[in-house]
Amino acid sequence: MKPALRLAILFFVSLSISFGQTKVLEGTNWTNQYWPARWLVHPTAPARQYGIFHFRKAIDLPQKPTRFVVHVSADNRYRLFVNGKAVALGPARSDTQNWNYETIDLSPFLKAGRNVLAAQVWYMGESAPFAQMSYQLGFLLQGDGETEKIANTDATWKVYQNPAYSPIKNDIPKLRTYIVMGDGDRVDAANYPWGWEQPEFDDKAWVAARVFGFPTKPRGLGTDGNWALVPRTIPMMAERTTRLATVRRVENGTMSNDFLEGKSPVKVPKNTKAVFLLDNGVLTNAYPELTVSRGKGAVITLSYAEALFDAKGRKGNRNEVEGRTMRGFDDQFIADGSDSAGWGKRIFRPLWFRTYRYLQLTVETKNDTVVLNDLVGKFTGYPFEEKARFATSDTTLTPIWNVGWRTAQLCAGETYYDCPYYEQLQYTGDTRIQALISLYVAGDDRLMRKAIQDYDHSRFNDGLTQSRYPSADFQVIPTFSLFWVCMLHDYWMHRQDDAFIESMLPGMLAVLDWHEQRIAKTGLNGPLEWWNFVDWADWKNAKQEIAGGVPNGARTGGSSVLTLQQAYTYFRAGDLLAHYGQNERAEHYRALGRQLNKAVYEQCWDAGRGLFADTPAKNSFSQHATILAVLTDAVPVAKQAALLQQTMATRNDGSDSLTQATFYFKFYLFEALKKTGLGDQFIPQLKPWRDMLALGLTTFAEQPDRIDGPSSRSDCHAWSASPLYEFLSITCGIRPAEPGFTSVTIEPAFGDLTRVEGKMPHPLGDIAVQFQKTATGGLTGIVTLPEKLTGTLRWKGKTVQLKGGLQTVSLQ
């Protein structure tokens, strides 16, 4: 739903060290009134240049409160402390016209008497990642009621600019690839105000914060303002302590696994350069926390990488370190010579989390020995729970499930990420697949709903959504706008949320209209602007598509692939429009879809090869065209299965051969298998995922490593986790039969497997299946549905009606 429909929803964060649980709170409605609290800045520091700031205020309470609710936000970000304890991190990423604030009950951390509220706020300026949108530096805290107003941000708060920080450039030239994660952190411990968040810290030298700008307001009020405030709609991120697994290589020093286990500090003598290569065992997203003492002037560089590189710049087996070097994202800490007693130990923690399997410490000492006391990671991510289960007679599928789930987890935070290491941007093509995984494995639709809304906010004057959002760098992929419409259809099929979906229909119509205006007289797509990405495939005769990933015919017009994707979307839009009473528009788009299909069949079907060509010139062919022709019924239903079989059998081994779908577009191949009753062939299609496991990947990559060519850039990419969804929707066969998942169809397809078990969360409860094949090719087993859910079991042309509860089934 649009913000106006969600204004009354406030979120209470029951905070622990992991600050990851969220409950609905009854509180004052701060979404319909001006806020007495004001945005704060430093009185003299530039507000739009790189800077890290600390804000503090002491408050006196007559007794320990049972409730002390505040609403907090900042630009770019904040980390909030109460009496020295970290209690929140935010705000959830968004844009300035939908700027999130968190609602937090601080009472568990308060006491009678003096209490200190403190916040670290950073503004990265040109050092910010692309995913960070912003206006300028600012910090805001609003007390919820009369008791809490003592905490409101105003000129009684103090502020200090931390001179210890400076940025480390981690850019495209340095890492030799597209990376937009912003700069790393360099911290000089000698200039850091250690203990600044603690109640006993002396802040007399700090200056009064300056109130900035117009009165603070929520979205929709007032005439001026730069942050239109809206309540956070997702829970706080999970956080838990983890430790690296093993020491893999040491140069000019001594370190054992005892250090990684927190049992034995490491000393690096004076005037020494030592290098320690550490292996986490699996890829992770975490805030590394390195504890250091002594070693005045020692420079410690922390480098992070998904994998190491050989002399030819290839990753190869991700487990191997011999003959390989680190090429990674860096942070740096400069020790100040503090001792190890009390507060003397220094802890370096970067402002934002890092993604790594390998973490390398490069320690360069000066005239004193430095002591590495400890190193831990604080894992972070969206608090998905793995509620689904999948098991079969083939235990080799279990690692694919586990690695797929790790991939999905690492690609989800305050937004979905395409990849956590290189971009952390929420791209629609990735997000559609990730959202379905979220629904099926976790049963959590909140991040999906936020993503749909984010894309709606991203629409610009063409009517299209941006390809990725939030993003400070403008990018448009028209095919991803179409997949945003498909995301609406997915959500509609799985959740009953009519008000939210109806609020998205105007934006959907703008996207559909943009594409309709570009249908040429031929009936195919005319020349298309922007970046019409389809897949990182080896497209033939697509020389004019310099951006990469674009099929032949996008720039000049006449692409069968893009035309069929347009039809694919129009049919789904027709379903939505008809459901919400817009029957005339629904039929208009369905008719357009049929016309597009007809044009593709008439102009791009090559009878000699028995395949769809990429353009009417018929000089290139791809799996993608056939997959979409099947999904849109551009080819007669009776011929679809045979055509799909032929497409999968034809390899890419010559100039006129078939361009193969890579990991991303195999999701649509799997959907075509499901549609044509070929689901039994899904498991054999998983060889590329098995190959990744054989190469030591602990998450699934963006694209295949090329033989004697470049490795996949990203070793963790959301779209490659699609087998999780298919295990449950194809192998176990669990799919919504009606919009809102008000009934279920279960049509298992498990090929050569003899047994399959699965469970997925449904809004009414769990759906669970246990199936076995009989010697005669029949099916027996148990199906358990939520009490209020009904459905149908299908197996080789036979059906059984299902009811709520546990039932034994047999189809012979």
Side-chain angles (χ1 to χ4, degrees), residues 473-487:
D473 186 65
F474 182 84
Q475 187 191 80
V476 181
I477 301 177
T479 55
F480 281 14
S481 292
L482 293 174
F483 281 142
W484 174 67
V485 176
C486 297
M487 277 187 68

Side-chain angles (χ1 to χ4, degrees), residues 59-206:
I59 60 173
D60 288 307
L61 300 175
Q63 60 188 16
K64 178 178 174 59
T66 58
R67 180 186 188 277
F68 198 94
V69 174
V70 297
H71 313 284
V72 191
S73 193
D75 188 351
N76 296 155
R77 300 191 62 83
Y78 70 86
R79 191 178 183 210
L80 183 67
F81 297 80
V82 178
N83 292 328
K85 185 179 182 62
V87 299
L89 185 70
R93 275 182 174 162
S94 53
D95 60 45
T96 57
Q97 293 309 302
N98 301 276
W99 196 262
N100 282 295
Y101 63 87
E102 282 73 36
T103 297
I104 309 162
D105 187 352
L106 303 183
S107 62
F109 315 104
L110 297 170
K111 61 185 180 180
R114 184 175 181 270
N115 295 267
V116 173
L117 310 181
Q120 183 183 40
V121 178
W122 56 96
Y123 187 82
M124 302 302 288
E126 293 181 355
S127 297
F130 277 12
Q132 180 65 59
M133 303 184 78
S134 68
Y135 175 67
Q136 66 156 62
L137 170 71
F139 174 61
L140 176 71
L141 187 148
Q142 171 66 56
D144 188 62
E146 189 66 23
T147 301
E148 297 96 338
K149 72 179 184 181
I150 189 175
N152 288 1
T153 45
D154 56 24
T156 64
W157 280 72
K158 289 189 171 185
V159 64
Y160 176 79
Q161 183 174 10
N162 192 335
Y165 281 88
S166 58
I168 291 181
K169 189 62 64 180
N170 289 296
D171 56 7
I172 293 172
K174 176 181 176 180
L175 276 80
R176 304 175 218 174
T177 190
Y178 184 73
I179 182 166
V180 291
M181 281 303 303
D183 293 343
D185 300 330
R186 179 184 285 110
V187 176
D188 187 343
N191 294 323
Y192 195 95
W194 297 102
W196 67 271
E197 75 280 16
Q198 299 300 321
E200 61 271 22
F201 180 81
D202 184 357
D203 62 10
K204 290 187 178 66
W206 289 25

